[in-house]
Amino acid sequence: MATGRTHRPATRSRGIPEATVARLPLYLRALTALSERSVPTVSSEELAAAAGVNSAKLRKDFSYLGSYGTRGVGYDVEYLVYQISRELGLTQDWPVVIVGIGNLGAALANYGGFASRGFRVAALIDADPAMAGKPVAGIAVQHTDELEHIIESNGVSIGVIATPAGAAQQVCDRLVAAGVTSILNFAPTVLTVPDGVDVRKVDLSIELQILAFHEQRKAGEEGGSESGAAAPADRAEAVVGDAAAAVGGDRKGPDGDVPAVMPA
């Protein structure tokens, strides 16, 4: 079985724009749903609506893949699923390590969608000695002292950081030094990495603040909120606090406070 250390996605070498790459998972999700319903073909308009983009943008994106559909018929669903999966590197096995097995890390470990999307959780790692050996999602947690050995022995190139902010950069540095070249960061901090290392950050509070901006704009267009009502930004701040409580409650994970983010 191929591993992530010896194979890289073809998207960059083919010159596919980053904006298009970011939309490919949306198309794949919509196409997978169609495939599960045994839908053989789909028009660009139908697929664009399901993915939440306009059809012209979809057709442009697919042109980078060499897919143009058939006039009057549309796109072959199964072929597009294969084609997009191949471009995203999902037709091979990508071993992943999750570092930080607090409430959030445990939730990520229990997420059932990794395997069906080409990812295998190879190891769960935590700094708390009391966590070592404890099973989470059927996988025994290992101590951070073993991090470099785990990455090398499993051929890991993708790391997930779910630690508190204060520990994230140190963990990131160790992952990179051990050979990890792609990092998904759930810690509420900005990581510094060398050239050649990709970082994707997930932060629910930022997404909620963006929604608060749009809510405030809409409220202004409607003539403002009722007297005494909480402003949209205030409501969003309260929601962020509620989200943090929902993830961690009054309890701390083994790594301390859990970032206010949850997996999709």
Side-chain angles (χ1 to χ4, degrees):
M1 180 177 290
T3 66
R5 290 296 289 276
T6 56
H7 294 78
R8 301 288 291 171
T11 52
R12 290 183 180 177
S13 62
R14 291 179 59 132
I16 300 177
E18 286 296 327
T20 296
V21 174
R23 287 188 290 270
L24 291 181
L26 303 179
Y27 301 140
L28 182 58
R29 181 171 59 188
L31 286 162
T32 300
L34 292 170
S35 176
E36 290 172 350
R37 288 159 35 205
S38 300
V39 176
T41 60
V42 62
S43 70
S44 58
E45 290 78 11
E46 291 169 333
L47 183 54
V53 303
N54 66 65
S55 57
K57 185 174 292 184
L58 177 144
R59 287 190 291 270
K60 180 67 173 177
D61 289 341
F62 284 178
S63 72
Y64 291 110
L65 308 181
S67 274
Y68 298 94
T70 303
R71 184 179 295 276
V73 176
Y75 294 92
D76 183 289
V77 170
E78 291 298 333
Y79 179 68
L80 268 184
V81 167
Y82 164 75
Q83 197 172 27
I84 295 176
S85 296
R86 182 190 63 191
E87 289 296 336
L88 289 174
L90 305 183
T91 56
Q92 55 191 300
D93 174 55
W94 293 98
V96 175
V97 297
I98 301 175
V99 184
I101 313 303
N103 294 325
L104 174 61
L108 292 169
N110 279 284
Y111 173 57
F114 286 129
S116 63
R117 290 166 172 81
F119 302 96
R120 171 174 55 86
V121 178
L124 305 177
I125 304 173
D126 197 273
D128 185 356
M131 286 291 293
K134 289 188 176 181
V136 175
I139 302 172
V141 176
Q142 300 180 68
H143 192 264
T144 49
D145 288 347
E146 303 295 321
L147 186 147
E148 287 79 8
H149 171 71
I150 291 168
I151 290 171
E152 181 178 0
S153 61
N154 288 279
V156 174
S157 61
I158 300 176
V160 178
I161 296 177
T163 67
Q169 185 62 57
Q170 182 182 12
V171 168
C172 174
D173 292 342
R174 289 183 63 185
L175 288 172
V176 171
V180 168
T181 51
S182 294
I183 294 172
L184 181 61
N185 178 32
F186 283 88
T189 187
V190 175
L191 299 176
T192 301
V193 297
D195 291 342
V197 176
D198 295 312
V199 176
R200 300 285 295 182
K201 179 166 173 50
V202 181
D203 193 325
L204 178 61
S205 65
I206 289 176
E207 300 302 325
L208 285 170
Q209 288 167 35
I210 293 171
L211 289 175
F213 167 80
H214 291 295
E215 284 296 310
Q216 186 167 253
R217 289 284 296 272
K218 287 185 283 188
E221 291 171 359
E222 294 170 359
S225 59
E226 294 181 7
S227 176
D234 295 333
R235 294 199 302 271
E237 185 175 346
V239 171
V240 172
D242 291 343
V247 175
D250 294 327
R251 297 173 290 109
K252 291 186 177 181
D255 291 329
D257 293 326
V258 179
V261 289
M262 282 294 286

